Amino acid sequence: MDVERWTLNTQKGNIALVSWIRAEIERRGPQSFAWFMQQALYHPEHGYYSSGRCATGRKGDYFTNVSVGALFGQLLASQFSEIWECFGNINEFVIVEQGAHDGQFARDVLDFVQKRLPEFFDALRYRILEPFPILEEQQRRRLEAFGDKVKWPASPEPFTGVHFSNELLDAMPVRLISDGTEKLVGLDGDKFVFVEQSVNKATFNQAALETIDQIAANLQRGYVIAIDYGFLEEAFERTVQVRARHRNLNSPFEQIGDADITMSVHWKSIIERAQANGLRVVGFTDQHHFLTGIISQLGSGGSLEPPAGDWGQSPLPDCAKAKRELQTLLHPEMLGRAFQVLAFAKKIDIEAPPLAGFKFARHPGQRG
Ligand SMILES: C[S@@+](CC[C@H](N)C(=O)[O-])C[C@H]1O[C@@H](n2cnc3c(N)ncnc32)[C@H](O)[C@@H]1O
């Protein structure tokens, strides 16, 4: 969405939140879009996510890889187990998930690993970094069957294993800065409007960069795998998406607190920040190629080989539902090209073979 085309009317939305934001702007003057986005999504009581109102999937506001079905988590579980094997089947292997929403991805991974990869299951420790109590409660309910296997540390802890996120970075607050001008959110009567002011060198995606600092500081040895939609520098479009009930809204001032707001990820600055923190890029490709790489290794031996069962002899579950899920995840016009996968490594031998997901890695901008 082009920010210039936003209509600046407040429509519907969470009344308590809209009144609170309005009062704050009246009191403090125009605020950055990052501040506005923080309130709309993460205000402790009324935010779209922090209130637990966010819903994904067919009956929710938008689809994510996770909401498509269990297959996404199952394929990622295969990738995690390959990493565990490369680590020499260590006794304690930690998956840290951030942006876990209702815990469905964790459940898909753990269900699969428990049934298919029992040795990996014994070694696996699952940690969820969750700032919002209401989401933690939902996750605890969904993951109850796994007992102590899953924990919610009060603050990030050092770990060896994998940090995983799906659509975390695009949900981080951003400032709207372009050509030395910043758009602040102000008021005209009771309507929200943009107020422009000139700005010196400023970072627009500070929250995402600080998240990378935090991950890098806690990762002792292992990988960071981030899946999201965005652009490398050359193609970067500063697009903000506002979504509710599977509709793209025209403005972030519509349905405040009842709609999702995201900004495409600026992968180049994420990569630079990670490198400055001692992480090494070990793969960057689109989701289609990433998942195809994992699938191509299924059945090739090691832990990527699925034991017989409801997956039959096929490397993939042999049912119509799974086929539909696969198509949605892989198809270039569905999620296959929309999302990219970036992986970093720390203290991993430079000669180590590429992860299965990057076997067919190609630059996401490449055609063909
Ligand atoms: C777009 S949703 C993605 C949810 C889920 N990963 C999925 O793919 O269905 C973004 C999630 O990131 C969470 N989030 C945002 N900032 C966070 C932070 N600093 N730490 C942990 N989670 C965060 C939000 O609460 C929300 O659940």
Side-chain angles (χ1 to χ4, degrees):
M1 181 197 307
D2 178 348
V3 293
E4 300 302 335
R5 284 192 282 111
W6 287 347
T7 52
L8 303 179
N9 289 326
T10 309
Q11 292 175 17
K12 297 193 207 133
N14 182 284
I15 292 167
L17 181 61
V18 170
S19 311
W20 185 85
I21 294 176
R22 210 178 264 141
E24 283 297 295
I25 294 177
E26 271 164 7
R27 194 168 65 81
R28 301 162 51 171
Q31 296 294 305
S32 71
F33 188 73
W35 177 88
F36 174 83
M37 193 168 160
Q38 178 74 31
Q39 311 316 318
L41 301 182
Y42 307 117
H43 178 280
E45 210 179 329
H46 306 301
Y48 174 69
Y49 286 115
S50 44
S51 66
R53 261 197 308 283
C54 159
T56 60
R58 197 172 301 284
K59 292 185 181 152
D61 292 312
Y62 58 92
F63 287 105
T64 68
N65 285 319
V66 180
S67 70
V68 168
L71 186 62
F72 179 71
Q74 294 168 348
L75 293 175
L76 265 297
S78 298
Q79 177 62 91
F80 299 149
S81 82
E82 182 205 42
I83 295 173
W84 170 67
E85 284 193 355
C86 290
F87 277 27
N89 301 13
I90 54 174
N91 289 335
E92 288 203 6
F93 182 89
V94 181
I95 295 174
V96 176
E97 188 186 355
Q98 199 166 357
H101 185 43
D102 58 6
Q104 188 59 50
F105 176 79
R107 182 151 131 187
D108 295 338
V109 169
L110 288 165
D111 268 342
F112 179 83
V113 174
Q114 189 172 36
K115 284 194 200 119
R116 308 279 171 196
L117 308 162
E119 286 172 28
F120 179 39
F121 189 74
D122 286 345
L124 184 56
R125 313 281 181 268
Y126 207 100
R127 304 289 176 257
I128 296 182
L129 294 180
E130 182 51 69
F132 307 114
I134 203 158
L135 294 183
E136 183 178 324
E137 246 173 65
Q138 290 178 14
Q139 292 156 10
R140 283 185 184 276
R141 275 201 301 275
R142 185 147 288 164
L143 296 165
E144 209 176 355
F146 297 103
D148 269 4
K149 180 72 60 190
V150 191
K151 288 193 175 146
W152 287 260
S155 57
E157 294 169 347
F159 68 98
T160 290
V162 179
H163 181 284
F164 177 78
S165 64
N166 186 64
E167 287 204 68
L168 169 71
L169 297 173
D170 70 15
M172 301 247 151
V174 285
R175 290 167 67 181
L176 296 178
I177 300 172
S178 117
D179 298 331
T181 302
E182 176 164 15
K183 284 181 195 298
L184 304 178
V185 180
L187 283 171
D188 178 8
D190 63 358
K191 280 185 185 165
F192 293 108
V193 292
F194 281 117
V195 180
E196 294 197 346
Q197 77 169 20
S198 56
V199 66
N200 281 330
K201 266 183 101 186
T203 309
F204 82 99
N205 57 348
Q206 191 64 25
L209 298 182
E210 284 173 9
T211 299
I212 299 298
D213 293 345
Q214 189 194 68
I215 297 169
N218 287 295
L219 177 62
Q220 305 297 292
R221 176 174 169 241
Y223 291 88
V224 180
I225 300 178
I227 304 186
D228 225 311
Y229 79 98
F231 299 92
L232 282 172
E233 179 74 79
E234 56 265 32
F236 188 60
E237 288 169 30
R238 215 157 274 205
T239 46
V240 170
Q241 274 199 45
V242 189
R243 300 176 289 186
R245 306 259 159 234
H246 296 281
R247 266 195 331 117
N248 282 332
L249 306 185
N250 286 325
S251 156
F253 304 143
E254 282 183 43
Q255 302 191 29
I256 296 168
D258 287 337
D260 185 33
I261 306 176
T262 58
M263 159 84 87
S264 41
V265 174
H266 187 243
W267 289 118
K268 183 165 182 268
S269 58
I270 298 292
I271 289 171
E272 285 169 358
R273 190 66 162 237
Q275 288 171 330
N277 277 293
L279 301 180
R280 181 165 57 85
V281 178
V282 291
F284 184 56
T285 192
D286 60 47
Q287 175 164 298
H288 173 93
H289 286 83
F290 181 74
L291 296 181
T292 306
I294 295 174
I295 291 164
S296 76
Q297 296 287 98
L298 297 171
S300 66
S303 62
L304 286 172
E305 182 162 20
D310 56 352
W311 284 33
Q313 293 309 307
S314 154
L316 285 169
D318 192 15
C319 64
K321 183 173 176 295
K323 282 177 187 148
R324 276 197 308 274
E325 289 176 22
L326 188 61
Q327 189 181 24
T328 307
L329 295 172
L330 291 185
H331 197 290
E333 287 177 4
M334 297 170 100
L335 302 179
R337 281 271 167 83
F339 288 97
Q340 298 89 48
V341 186
L342 175 62
F344 298 115
K346 186 169 186 180
K347 294 204 182 135
I348 300 291
D349 189 345
I350 203 145
E351 302 291 329
L355 300 181
F358 296 105
K359 193 174 152 195
F360 304 126
R362 58 208 287 289
H363 193 294
Q366 248 172 275
R367 298 206 161 268

